[in-house]
């Protein structure tokens, strides 16, 4: 019980550093700007056509796409730039508790901060589009126009008919939110693990490599480079759907009953397992971490 | 006066002879060229038939008015010299420098250099892009049809873009002085630009004069005279420079 209380206190201490922290303010403002720029096309389209939006539709179409999730994950590099959060308070915390407690406090901070960030993205996207939106749990006339005409391909908005047919906006929003959260959390914990093991520069390189792996494993890219025929292209889509982490979090790139792509539960399970393993690895690695005390600073 | 000019010359040499300035100017140049790509990549059939007169002006204008330029301009303008006050204060350079150059001269040189670095970066990038586009496209303008884009439009958009560069250089430096933080120094201008775009586009469409996109697109009325946009930008920049002068004078009061 005492350990749990200390874990929460360590987490709370990190949140206390958010107050008037320019880096945190900048990260959240950049996320808002990114959200605005990514949803601008959709909102302008609805204004031009005189149609209305469901309040979470821009979030669904924007963050159901792999590139947008990647951009939102990159902004978190700014938020967690001071990982693994070793400051002058650390020696005092370590004397009063255990390394595992302090590490779990850090991990709790990372998990909850990522959750707060993801919720913020949902809310800010909805706020930007609220002027021309309704809150009912049904797809809008804008969605119908995009899905059933050629506009979605013309404007490169991933509004797919199969999405409209199998789910509703709120359910879809929750699914995409969880997918995005898992991807971002996995990348953040990966960065933490490699930073502890090999240093800050290696941590950033590792997470960049992870994102690069996801973005490069793109069947369309292979089709252009290797000039694939339709049959081989289909196999490439399935393979990339399984191997690319960004495809796992892209809503349309899932099995809705008629292809061999991963299902939602398979994606959730893979990410969940990866996150759990990373947490265990971080706790284990922290036990062997070589703290260097130089005056009041810890390196 | 002579001493101040000498100090300004030294500051400009310090600012312009850096890799950052070259990279920012090159980045902006590439952004303008990329945005005009549709005008450069022309099939041979169209080239043989000829292009309308003034086609190169349209290419230059499209490049300058693009979303990408509006996006990168605040970053490029403030990256060059916005953080210089923080460096000088942090290294203790100011304590030795201020008694030698004087507080008033220091404030003047800092404001002028930080602001003009942004404008010069835009000027260099724009001139390079305009030169290349003109050399590439003008020889093919053989059709008797005249393009709707005029030189006056290009000059006005170019002038506004240079003023915008000066404005964001000033804003970045102001953020650096007020917040004493590198993130705000380099990100402040970008944040201000995009927050203005968001507020005007979504919530206050009638306040188009505050929209950075409008300063080059000039889609609004501007009371029937588009040149008013240039005057508006000049006035806003002058006001922010005056605010910066007041703030910087106050901040360096306690040093030395």
């Amino acid at each position: 019980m005492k350990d749990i209380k200390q874990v929460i206190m360590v987490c709370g201490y990190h949140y206390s550093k958010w107050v008037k922290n320019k880096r945190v303010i900048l990260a959240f403002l950049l996320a808002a700007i990114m959200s605005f720029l990514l949803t601008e096309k959709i909102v302008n389209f609805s204004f031009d056509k005189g149609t209305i939006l469901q309040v979470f539709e821009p979030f669904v179409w924007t963050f159901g796409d792999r590139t947008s999730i990647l951009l939102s994950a990159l902004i978190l590099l700014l938020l967690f730039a001071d990982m693994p959060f070793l400051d002058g308070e650390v020696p005092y915390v370590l004397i009063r508790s255990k390394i595992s407690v302090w590490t779990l406090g850090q991990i709790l901070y990372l998990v909850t901060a990522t959750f707060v960030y993801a919720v913020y993205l949902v809310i800010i996207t909805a706020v930007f589009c609220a002027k021309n939106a309704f809150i009912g749990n049904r797809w809008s006339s804008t969605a119908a126009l995009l899905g059933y005409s050629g506009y979605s391909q013309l404007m490169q908005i991933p509004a797919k008919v199969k999405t409209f047919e199998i789910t509703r906006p709120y359910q879809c929003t929750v699914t995409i939110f969880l997918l995005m959260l898992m991807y971002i959390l996995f990348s953040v914990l990966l960065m933490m693990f490699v930073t502890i093991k090999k240093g800050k520069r290696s941590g950033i390189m590792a997470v960049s490599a992870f994102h690069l792996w996801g973005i490069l494993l793109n069947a369309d890219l292979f089709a252009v480079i290797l000039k694939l025929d339709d049959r081989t292209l289909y196999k490439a889509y399935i393979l990339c759907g399984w191997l690319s982490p960004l495809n796992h979090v892209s809503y349309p790139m899932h099995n809705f009953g008629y292809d061999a792509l991963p299902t939602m539960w398979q994606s959730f399970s893979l990410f969940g397992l990866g996150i759990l393993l990373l947490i265990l690895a971080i706790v284990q690695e922290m036990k062997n971490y070589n703290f260097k005390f130089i005056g009041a600073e810890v390196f | 006066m002579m001493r101040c000019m000498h100090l300004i010359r030294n500051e400009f040499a310090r600012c312009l002879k850096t890799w950052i300035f070259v990279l920012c100017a090159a980045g902006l140049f590439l952004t303008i060229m990329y945005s005009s790509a549709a005008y450069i990549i022309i099939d041979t059939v169209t080239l043989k038939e000829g292009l309308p007169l003034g086609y190169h002006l349209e290419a230059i204008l499209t490049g300058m008015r693009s979303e990408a330029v509006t996006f990168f301009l605040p970053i490029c303008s403030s990256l060059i010299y916005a953080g210089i006050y923080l460096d000088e204060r942090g290294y203790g350079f100011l304590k030795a420098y201020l008694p030698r150059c004087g507080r008033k001269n220091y404030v003047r040189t800092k404001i002028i250099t930080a602001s003009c670095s942004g404008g010069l970066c835009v000027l260099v990038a724009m001139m390079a892009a305009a030169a290349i586009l003109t050399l590439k496209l003008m020889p093919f303008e053989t059709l008797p049809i005249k393009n709707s884009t005029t030189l006056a439009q290009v000059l006005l958009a170019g002038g506004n873009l240079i003023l915008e560069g000066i404005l964001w250089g000033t804003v970045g430096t102001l953020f650096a002085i007020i917040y004493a933080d590198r993130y705000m120094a380099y990100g402040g201008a970008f944040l201000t630009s995009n927050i203005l775009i968001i507020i005007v586009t979504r919530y206050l469409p009638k306040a188009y004069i505050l929209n950075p996109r409008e300063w080059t697109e000039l889609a609004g009325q501007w009371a029937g005279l588009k040149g008013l946009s240039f005057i508006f930008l000049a006035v806003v920049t002058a006001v922010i420079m005056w605010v910066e002068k007041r703030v910087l004078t106050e901040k360096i009061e306690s040093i030395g």
Side-chain angles (χ1 to χ4, degrees):
Chain A
M1 198 63 205
K2 183 185 165 193
D3 286 350
I4 295 171
K5 204 175 163 187
Q6 283 181 335
V7 165
I8 295 169
M9 280 169 70
V10 168
C11 175
Y13 164 72
H14 288 300
Y15 275 111
S16 69
K17 291 198 286 183
W18 275 26
V19 178
K20 292 184 185 175
N21 187 325
K22 316 289 183 312
R23 195 165 35 79
V24 173
I25 295 168
L26 200 68
F28 278 90
L29 284 175
L30 282 175
I33 289 166
M34 178 202 68
S35 169
F36 170 81
L37 292 173
L38 290 173
T39 56
E40 204 179 1
K41 220 172 10 180
I42 296 163
V43 174
N44 287 346
F45 176 79
S46 75
F47 274 121
D48 289 342
K49 298 297 174 191
T51 51
I52 203 165
L53 285 164
Q54 202 277 347
V55 75
F56 289 121
E57 273 175 2
F59 174 80
V60 166
W61 298 332
T62 304
F63 293 97
D65 179 57
R66 40 191 270 140
T67 316
S68 309
I69 295 180
L70 174 66
L71 288 172
S72 58
L74 287 175
I75 290 173
L76 273 187
L77 289 179
L78 181 64
L79 191 62
F80 298 133
D82 56 346
M83 205 182 267
F85 319 114
L86 298 172
D87 56 13
E89 307 284 331
V90 172
Y92 302 103
V93 174
L94 291 177
I95 289 166
R96 287 161 174 79
S97 67
K98 298 176 274 193
I99 289 179
S100 56
V101 162
W102 177 73
T103 310
L104 284 172
Q106 303 253 49
I107 291 168
L108 183 65
Y109 163 66
L110 283 176
V111 171
T112 51
T114 308
F115 181 80
V116 164
Y117 175 77
V119 168
Y120 168 80
L121 275 179
V122 176
I123 293 172
I124 202 76
T125 310
V127 163
F128 282 145
C129 310
K131 207 175 169 190
N132 191 32
F134 64 90
I135 58 170
N137 192 19
R138 66 179 195 281
W139 298 106
S140 66
S141 46
T142 312
L145 196 57
L146 281 169
Y148 293 103
S149 68
Y151 282 119
S152 64
Q153 271 195 315
L154 189 70
M155 304 191 64
Q156 292 176 326
I157 299 170
K160 307 266 184 212
V161 174
K162 67 178 177 181
T163 309
F164 306 149
E165 287 172 349
I166 57 163
T167 186
R168 296 267 187 140
Y170 284 127
Q171 290 90 321
C172 194
T173 303
V174 169
T175 310
I176 290 173
F177 170 79
L178 287 172
L179 286 170
M180 185 175 72
L181 179 66
M182 294 205 124
Y183 178 83
I184 296 173
L185 200 49
F186 186 89
S187 64
V188 162
L189 289 171
L190 177 69
M191 189 164 123
M192 174 82 162
F193 173 68
V194 179
T195 304
I196 294 166
K197 199 152 172 72
K198 293 281 180 192
K200 205 175 255 189
R201 196 178 285 181
S202 302
I204 293 176
M205 279 169 60
V207 80
S208 305
F210 172 70
H211 291 319
L212 204 63
W213 167 258
I215 203 86
L216 288 176
L217 269 182
N218 184 353
D220 294 325
L221 195 66
F222 291 145
V224 167
I225 295 169
L226 301 172
K227 295 182 176 39
L228 301 174
D229 58 61
D230 286 344
R231 189 180 257 182
T232 324
L233 183 60
Y234 171 75
K235 286 180 185 168
Y237 266 114
I238 303 297
L239 207 59
C240 289
W242 279 98
L243 293 175
S244 167
L246 274 175
N247 280 340
H248 271 283
V249 300
S250 171
Y251 190 86
M253 287 293 290
H254 283 92
N255 184 351
F256 294 110
Y258 41 83
D259 50 35
L261 288 168
T263 62
M264 289 292 175
W265 284 111
Q266 283 167 338
S267 293
F268 284 135
S269 304
L270 283 169
F271 272 109
L273 186 66
I275 287 165
L276 196 63
L277 288 172
L278 278 170
I279 290 173
L280 292 170
I282 288 167
V283 173
Q284 187 57 38
E285 199 57 40
M286 226 9 145
K287 286 179 185 170
N288 305 320
Y289 188 75
N290 188 14
F291 290 92
K292 289 178 199 153
F293 291 85
I294 301 171
E297 297 296 323
V298 179
F299 292 96
Chain B
M1 184 69 184
M2 286 299 292
R3 195 170 167 206
C4 190
M5 291 304 294
H6 177 72
L7 289 168
I8 290 173
R9 200 172 50 236
N10 284 346
E11 284 291 327
F12 268 109
R14 224 173 122 200
C15 158
L16 301 180
K17 288 180 185 175
T18 57
W19 281 113
I20 295 270
F21 181 82
V22 173
L23 278 171
C24 289
L28 205 54
F29 162 76
L30 287 170
T31 310
I32 297 173
M33 293 304 288
Y34 175 77
S35 306
S36 317
Y39 289 85
I40 304 168
I41 303 165
I42 313 167
D43 58 280
T44 44
V45 172
T46 314
L47 274 178
K48 276 184 187 164
E49 284 172 7
L51 301 168
L53 292 169
Y55 184 83
H56 67 286
L57 293 175
E58 196 176 331
I60 297 166
L61 194 62
T62 307
M64 287 195 297
R65 283 177 171 175
S66 65
E67 270 293 319
V69 167
T70 310
F71 186 84
F72 281 116
L73 186 57
I75 302 170
C76 293
S77 304
S78 51
L79 208 57
I80 301 164
Y81 216 59
I84 198 67
Y85 165 74
L86 297 173
D87 289 336
E88 288 176 353
R89 189 167 182 146
Y91 298 146
F93 174 76
L94 274 188
K95 278 186 190 166
Y97 186 60
L98 277 177
R100 286 168 172 77
C101 79
R103 281 176 170 71
K104 275 189 183 168
N105 282 339
Y106 178 79
V107 170
R108 272 188 213 130
T109 52
K110 274 293 158 284
I111 290 170
I112 291 169
T113 319
S115 315
C116 292
S117 61
L120 280 168
C121 173
V122 175
L123 181 67
V124 166
M126 237 170 42
M127 296 294 286
I132 288 174
L133 287 169
T134 307
L135 287 170
K136 164 113 179 118
L137 298 170
M138 215 166 157
F140 298 100
E141 289 173 16
T142 52
L143 286 178
I145 315 155
K146 211 160 174 237
N147 197 286
S148 57
T149 312
T150 60
L151 184 61
Q153 281 177 293
V154 174
L155 288 174
L156 180 60
N160 282 359
L161 209 60
I162 292 170
L163 269 180
E164 239 189 282
I166 296 173
L167 173 67
W168 297 131
T170 314
V171 167
T173 317
L174 183 62
F175 271 102
I177 297 164
I178 292 174
Y179 292 104
D181 186 88
R182 210 163 285 279
Y183 290 109
M184 292 310 281
Y186 299 134
F190 175 77
L191 284 176
T192 310
S193 168
N194 281 278
I195 287 169
L196 281 172
I197 291 172
I198 291 169
I199 291 171
V200 173
T201 311
R202 284 288 150 87
Y203 305 108
L204 299 171
K206 288 184 181 171
Y208 60 86
I209 64 169
L210 297 174
N211 188 350
R213 285 176 183 166
E214 175 60 26
W215 297 338
T216 40
E217 278 175 23
L218 298 171
Q221 285 291 317
W222 291 95
L225 189 63
K226 304 283 186 187
L228 281 176
S229 57
F230 187 86
I231 296 168
F232 170 74
L233 276 173
V235 166
V236 168
T237 308
V239 166
I240 295 177
M241 276 179 165
W242 177 79
V243 169
E244 192 180 324
K245 181 189 160 204
R246 293 287 300 262
V247 173
L248 185 56
T249 309
E250 219 176 282
K251 290 281 180 183
I252 61 172
E253 215 44 55
S254 54
I255 300 172

